[in-house]
Amino acid sequence: MLDPKLLRTEPARVAANLARRGFSLDVAAFNALEERRKALQIRTDALRSERNARSKAIGQAKAKGGDVAPLLKEVEALGAEQAAAEADFTAVQGEVERLALGLPNLLHESVPDGADESANVEVRRVGVPRTLDFVPRDHVALGELDGGLDFEAAGRISGARFAVMKGAVARLHRALAQFMLDLHTREHGYTEAYVPYLVSRQALTGTGQLPKFEQDLFALKGENELFLIPTAEVPVTNLVRDAILPAESLPLKFVAHTPCFRSEAGAYGKDTRGMIRQHQFDKVEMVHIVRPEDSYAALELMVGHAEAVLQRLGIPYRVVALAAGDVGFGSAKTYDLEVWLPGQGKYREISSCSNCESFQARRMQARYRSPATGKPELVHTLNGSGVAVGRALVAVLENHQQADGSVRVPDVLKPYMGGVEVIGPKA
RNA sequence: GGAGAGGUGGCCGAGCGGUCGAAGGCGCUGGACUGGAAUUCCAGUAAUACCCAAAAGGUAUUCGUGGGUUCGAAUCCCACCCUCUCCGCCA
């Protein structure tokens, strides 16, 4: 959510910023609504004040043993008027809130212009794709050779956009997640978190997936309304919901390995082959809760942590700064990490690191006590993949493949692979 | 699943129809005391929205959440959520 004060005082600036995303904010309509809300609030407050004063008078008169009948009659007349004002106020307030929850975050000034991903700016390229003296296979072909990737079985069990992994491939998948968690907790100072995979509407509203993107989520049928998490960002960031944190406790750095569930409602026909785009995938997620002045340094730090994963796996990648039109709803600035996939001959997203500034914090009421003012102030929240496990598996398979269709296990994963050094095609 | 207890400010905890945004304590801030500190003493210390150029001040809302009763609700009633204890069941 945006700062309502900023929206009121500098609507033109806000509109101009949001326009960079391609989002058009009707400033006049918003202001008109705000004015109505304000007027109604003043009126409602005045009527309440009147009622409170009279009720108090009744109490005092009673205490003195006076006759309260005339006073009671007076208050009665006030009742209807007050109830009406109250109802109007509640309605308008709800309207304002609905509108406010639908506005995306303001972009940081450093975000490059551009309507879509074609305008993303490459920041750096790390590692060089191997020159192969054979035609590279994609992960689907490699998985078939080994027998460890079974989309056909997944289709029978659940339908399209699911995967079954078996044997060495399944183990490699597990090894990747373990390696990432260990790296982040041992070397990058993260606290490991295990969190619920089912979350409330409130939690999803806090991080910004709701109310706008309900169609991308899987909802459970049942008495309690629950949704499957689309990312660990939701439960992990909500760890600080409604909290007033001591300043010295910041920054908080959490890492969690969870499955993620996305209905990918708008992705028909995209990436239908293989496990690039699935309804269910695993991800190791990093979340930072920081003081506002530290959030952009934290973003760079977090990107570095994600990069470390790829570097140790020996996978070439590039870092791109997302263009205005490609930055997600709640983010002020986002870097994507894209890995080289020889099977596709292009770089594909494997991590997305975002600084949400106070956007989520305001929705969640996540605050810290500022040493400067002594008052509670909103924290800044960041989240980033460190990294997507399924896509990391794809990257390892494709980048470390050999002419015969076998795949060399990266050194850093060997301790997790129980001595397996090569994932081989079944004879 | 059964029985019981409870959810109050940054934290603990009292209050159980009006003068309660809420005693007391802890913590924190300022002051006194001290060579400096500890102890002790004094004072201050919730959030949000709105009015106000700002400060000061004022008004409203907030005692798990949502409804209800009442002129008036932390306090009474109903529903729901959560926590704890015991029993049952389980991983």
Side-chain angles (χ1 to χ4, degrees):
Chain A
M1 212 153 71
L2 302 180
D3 182 357
K5 279 206 181 85
L6 188 71
L7 210 49
R8 231 173 290 143
T9 53
E10 303 189 59
R13 224 186 85 203
V14 172
N17 187 302
L18 296 184
R20 294 186 62 205
R21 291 178 176 269
F23 186 95
S24 80
L25 169 67
D26 189 342
V27 178
F30 186 83
N31 283 345
L33 193 61
E34 254 299 300
E35 282 310 312
R36 260 183 76 209
R37 196 214 93 228
K38 199 185 281 190
L40 280 168
Q41 176 164 356
I42 291 169
R43 189 172 134 75
T44 309
D45 280 2
L47 285 167
R48 280 173 178 166
S49 174
E50 181 74 20
R51 183 205 61 197
N52 289 346
R54 296 194 188 199
S55 290
K56 208 171 217 175
I58 291 172
Q60 282 165 352
K62 248 187 180 164
K64 285 183 197 145
D67 179 17
V68 294
L71 286 170
L72 282 175
K73 207 163 194 180
E74 256 183 75
V75 177
E76 209 174 320
L78 224 69
E81 194 183 356
Q82 200 224 324
E86 201 104 7
D88 287 354
F89 176 51
T90 309
V92 172
Q93 201 175 30
E95 239 174 284
V96 171
E97 191 177 294
R98 215 167 14 258
L99 217 154
L101 286 175
L103 300 181
N105 200 1
L106 293 175
L107 294 171
H108 190 256
E109 57 193 10
S110 66
V111 171
D113 280 319
D116 54 47
E117 62 174 50
S118 67
N120 292 351
V121 172
E122 183 174 304
V123 176
R124 59 183 165 272
R125 219 173 252 235
V126 179
V128 182
R130 285 162 62 206
T131 351
L132 303 174
D133 52 10
F134 58 92
V135 179
R137 298 174 168 91
D138 76 358
H139 67 282
V140 179
L142 292 165
E144 265 167 17
L145 286 176
D146 175 75
L149 261 183
D150 193 341
F151 294 101
E152 198 269 333
R156 261 182 287 124
I157 299 164
S158 303
R161 295 202 189 281
F162 287 93
V164 167
M165 290 177 266
K166 289 178 288 190
V169 173
R171 181 159 197 174
L172 184 64
H173 184 259
R174 173 161 59 94
L176 279 163
Q178 298 298 312
F179 157 67
M180 293 176 205
L181 279 174
D182 285 344
L183 175 65
H184 295 315
T185 54
R186 288 176 188 162
E187 298 185 35
H188 297 155
Y190 285 78
T191 302
E192 185 169 347
Y194 173 84
V195 291
Y197 302 158
L198 298 175
V199 294
S200 65
R201 177 172 289 274
Q202 196 187 34
L204 286 155
T205 305
T207 36
Q209 283 77 16
L210 289 179
K212 212 167 178 177
F213 304 104
E214 188 157 352
Q215 74 283 355
D216 294 335
L217 301 169
F218 285 108
L220 259 61
K221 281 184 182 158
E223 283 179 44
N224 298 341
E225 185 179 49
L226 285 169
F227 299 86
L228 285 162
I229 55 171
T231 159
E233 168 197 342
V234 178
V236 176
T237 311
N238 272 283
L239 247 25
V240 295
R241 152 179 295 281
D242 287 325
I244 300 177
L245 304 160
E248 60 273 17
S249 73
L250 302 179
L252 293 171
K253 295 194 289 179
F254 295 109
V255 63
H257 166 219
T258 73
C260 303
F261 303 92
R262 298 186 184 177
S263 82
E264 299 285 355
Y268 301 111
K270 256 189 225 169
D271 297 313
T272 47
R273 180 175 166 84
M275 50 186 301
I276 293 292
R277 195 175 295 274
Q278 303 273 290
H279 285 315
Q280 171 186 322
F281 62 96
D282 276 28
K283 184 156 59 70
V284 170
E285 181 79 358
M286 306 174 286
V287 168
H288 290 202
I289 311 294
V290 304
R291 302 187 192 195
E293 64 268 27
D294 298 333
S295 69
Y296 279 93
L299 179 61
E300 300 299 325
L301 191 69
M302 181 183 267
V303 172
H305 294 157
E307 288 185 67
V309 172
L310 302 179
Q311 286 166 15
R312 301 217 189 173
L313 291 172
I315 297 168
Y317 67 91
R318 60 178 196 157
V319 181
V320 300
L322 296 196
D326 203 28
V327 171
F329 182 72
S331 174
K333 180 172 186 176
T334 299
Y335 289 112
D336 273 7
L337 263 52
E338 298 179 348
V339 288
W340 175 253
L341 294 185
Q344 296 194 12
K346 49 184 172 186
Y347 285 94
R348 293 301 308 259
E349 177 189 343
I350 196 168
S351 169
S352 194
C353 298
S354 299
N355 183 1
C356 297
E357 297 191 5
S358 60
F359 185 85
Q360 296 179 325
R362 186 170 289 107
R363 288 167 165 248
M364 293 191 301
Q365 283 304 294
R367 295 167 295 174
Y368 78 110
R369 200 165 287 280
S370 159
T373 61
K375 297 278 177 206
E377 280 174 26
L378 297 170
V379 296
H380 279 194
T381 62
L382 301 93
N383 61 78
S385 353
V387 300
V389 181
R391 289 189 183 179
L393 179 82
V394 170
V396 167
L397 291 177
E398 295 197 8
N399 279 283
H400 295 306
Q401 65 177 294
Q402 305 179 94
D404 64 353
S406 65
V407 174
R408 208 173 41 73
V409 173
D411 287 344
V412 290
L413 296 184
K414 283 178 184 166
Y416 302 94
M417 289 297 287
V420 176
E421 306 216 335
V422 175
I423 297 176
K426 292 274 181 286

